[in-house]
Amino acid sequence: MTTTGEGHAAARGGPWWWTRWRSAVLDAGLAAGSAAECGAEGVRFARDAGIPAAVGVVFGVLAGSTLIVRRKWPIAVVLVSIAITPAQMGYVMGIVGLYTLAASELPRRIIGALAGMSFLGMLIVMFVRVRQDMQHGTWELGDWFLPFASITTAVGMTAPPVLLGMYVGARRRLMESLRERADSLERELQLLAERAEERAEWARGEERTRIAREMHDVVAHRVSLMVVHAAALQAAARKDPEKAVKNAALVGDMGRQALTELREMLGVLRSGDGRDVRERAAVPLVAVAAAAAAAASRVVGDEGGAGGAGGEGGGEGGGEGPCLSDVDELLGQSAAAGMAVDLSVEGESRSYAAEIEQTAYRVVQEALTNVHKHAAGAKTHVRLAHRVSEIAMQVENEPPPELAAASAARLPSGGNGLVGMRERVLALGGVFVSGPTDAGGFRVSAVIPAA
């Protein structure tokens, strides 16, 4: 496997300024070869300069050994090689130094200036040396050979290492750029993974909220009516046996339907156990609502079940969920449970998007459920207004009679009804307001855009 970025840098380690031990060994070997070459050339230099040979050898070894710092100070190595060029030594150091200089990150003007100085120094030295050899009779060639040999040698000693170094440096910078890009992509992938996890967590929270809201809207109304009818059954058991039998039948029907709805919703939640994880994550949000609406759309066949909350969406056909046309039946169910309720409609009735009609229906349904819970026996007014670009609904109940309040069934309240209504309305860009009235009752109002 390969490593990138910080992991790649951490995987490399060498002494001092070297990034790897292999580089240190290579530089030490090149320095040893350069020292040997300069030391050998130092014998002739000492003879020409009239100094002891040992001094020339030591001078050559010290000058050639500077190649070991070529990665740390490439300019110094090139300057030393230029300085000892008149002594006709340091050829290995000059070639390697120019290569290292061209491959470094130094500005091109510095590389060009030092390469030009090295070329000029080599040209002068070779010109003088070839001319001396020709004067001494070592070579017997024409006058053309002097400039040709000088220029060719100078170009051959400077151009190839500079060009090769520039190529290697460009390739190295390209690899570093690719490595940095890979690191950047890796960080972006990690960030995307973290954001995906956050979105998944948010989706799970939204899913739980929606499931809770659907279960509350579908089941709470019917269970509340069951409790109301059970209280009426308890009161009429001895006085009016026929009414008690009818109430008992209503309670049974509503209980069976509530269990059916709960079973279907739980079945939807469990249906993805053997499926792919992605399918399991996508099912509940849509399928729970569909199953809840389908369960709510069923109506018990007998008249008692239809009249007393035998389905909060008695007219919800086809499993598409409740709509505004089912509000009349919803009010009939509440009336069968003993509530005095009336409906007034303003404007011309028309159809809306399914989600808008379902939300409007749920608002009215939950408001009536709250009246059953907290103001049993109170007269309730339901108003629907069809406007040009919106639909408005309002459910307002008067203060409950003292006798009815005293004998009302105690229905538990989780405090989620108003929260669920507000969430539904705000999700569609509407406005939701609820609160007590000056007369002592309670009012729930909502306005939903028609688009």
Side-chain angles (χ1 to χ4, degrees):
M1 296 179 63
T2 59
T3 57
T4 60
E6 296 180 358
H8 180 77
R12 304 184 299 177
W16 296 324
W17 56 83
W18 288 284
T19 57
R20 292 174 295 185
W21 279 98
R22 184 176 64 182
S23 301
V25 173
L26 175 62
D27 288 354
L30 290 174
S34 176
E37 182 258 339
C38 291
E41 295 289 346
V43 176
R44 187 176 60 178
F45 170 71
R47 183 177 64 250
D48 295 340
I51 60 177
V55 176
V57 172
V58 172
F59 172 76
V61 170
L62 292 177
S65 299
T66 57
L67 189 60
I68 198 169
V69 297
R70 69 183 185 95
R71 298 178 190 267
K72 184 70 171 178
W73 298 295
I75 296 178
V77 173
V78 175
L79 290 176
V80 171
S81 69
I82 295 174
I84 64 176
T85 299
Q88 299 182 11
M89 64 174 64
Y91 299 112
V92 174
M93 183 169 60
I95 294 174
V96 178
L98 285 175
Y99 164 80
T100 307
L101 179 70
S104 65
E105 301 292 336
L106 293 172
R108 293 299 176 88
R109 62 179 183 274
I110 297 178
I111 297 175
L114 292 176
M117 293 171 59
S118 179
F119 172 81
L120 184 60
M122 185 62 63
L123 179 66
I124 296 173
V125 169
M126 290 305 299
F127 184 86
V128 173
R129 183 174 181 179
V130 173
R131 184 176 182 182
Q132 290 176 351
D133 291 340
M134 292 179 65
Q135 288 177 352
H136 293 160
T138 305
W139 297 338
E140 295 181 359
L141 298 171
D143 294 338
W144 62 269
F145 183 76
L146 179 61
F148 172 76
S150 303
I151 296 174
T152 302
T153 305
V155 171
M157 295 291 289
T158 56
V162 170
L163 294 178
L164 180 60
M166 294 178 65
Y167 166 75
V168 173
R171 183 175 180 274
R172 183 182 302 154
R173 286 188 290 271
L174 176 61
M175 296 301 295
E176 289 295 332
S177 176
L178 293 177
R179 186 177 294 113
E180 291 176 359
R181 184 176 299 179
D183 293 340
S184 177
L185 290 176
E186 184 177 359
R187 288 191 295 269
E188 289 180 3
L189 288 176
Q190 291 177 353
L191 182 60
L192 289 176
E194 293 175 359
R195 290 181 178 177
E197 183 63 26
E198 293 176 358
R199 286 195 297 269
E201 183 63 29
W202 175 83
R204 286 192 290 268
E206 289 293 316
E207 182 179 349
R208 288 192 294 267
T209 302
R210 180 165 183 172
I211 291 173
R213 185 167 60 240
E214 291 294 339
M215 294 184 68
H216 179 275
D217 291 342
V218 173
V219 180
H221 179 74
R222 186 165 299 147
V223 174
S224 299
L225 292 180
M226 287 173 55
V227 177
V228 172
H229 282 294
L233 173 62
Q234 183 180 5
R238 295 182 180 179
K239 298 181 181 179
D240 192 350
E242 183 178 353
K243 184 177 180 180
V245 171
K246 182 179 179 180
N247 288 337
L250 291 175
V251 171
D253 292 337
M254 287 182 286
R256 283 188 292 271
Q257 291 186 9
L259 289 175
T260 300
E261 293 169 5
L262 284 174
R263 188 179 299 111
E264 290 187 1
M265 282 186 285
L266 294 177
V268 169
L269 296 178
R270 293 173 179 170
S271 62
D273 290 344
R275 300 180 184 177
D276 187 76
V277 175
R278 290 174 296 180
E279 296 179 358
R280 206 181 327 171
V283 166
L285 285 175
V286 178
V288 169
S297 66
R298 293 187 180 83
V299 182
V300 177
D302 58 9
E303 181 180 359
E312 59 199 40
E316 304 164 24
E320 296 180 354
C323 56
L324 287 175
S325 60
D326 301 322
V327 171
D328 291 333
E329 185 171 357
L330 181 65
L331 299 183
Q333 297 169 6
S334 296
M339 177 187 294
V341 58
D342 61 71
L343 172 67
S344 62
V345 180
E346 301 176 6
E348 183 179 356
S349 299
R350 64 183 187 273
S351 61
Y352 301 90
E355 191 173 11
I356 295 176
E357 295 209 7
Q358 292 175 18
T359 300
Y361 179 91
R362 295 299 189 196
V363 170
V364 176
Q365 179 193 62
E366 181 59 29
L368 293 178
T369 302
N370 288 341
V371 175
H372 284 294
K373 289 181 178 180
H374 308 293
K379 187 174 182 179
T380 305
H381 307 276
V382 179
R383 301 180 181 90
L384 295 177
H386 300 273
R387 300 168 184 168
V388 177
S389 59
E390 61 189 16
I391 177 175
M393 64 225 67
Q394 177 177 291
V395 179
E396 180 179 350
N397 63 274
E398 300 177 357
E402 295 183 1
L403 180 60
S407 60
R410 297 180 179 179
L411 294 171
S413 176
N416 297 318
L418 295 177
V419 175
M421 284 190 284
R422 180 182 299 277
E423 290 176 351
R424 285 180 177 274
V425 173
L426 295 182
L428 297 178
V431 179
F432 180 83
V433 179
S434 62
T437 62
D438 295 336
F442 198 84
R443 180 186 298 117
V444 172
S445 302
V447 179
I448 304 175

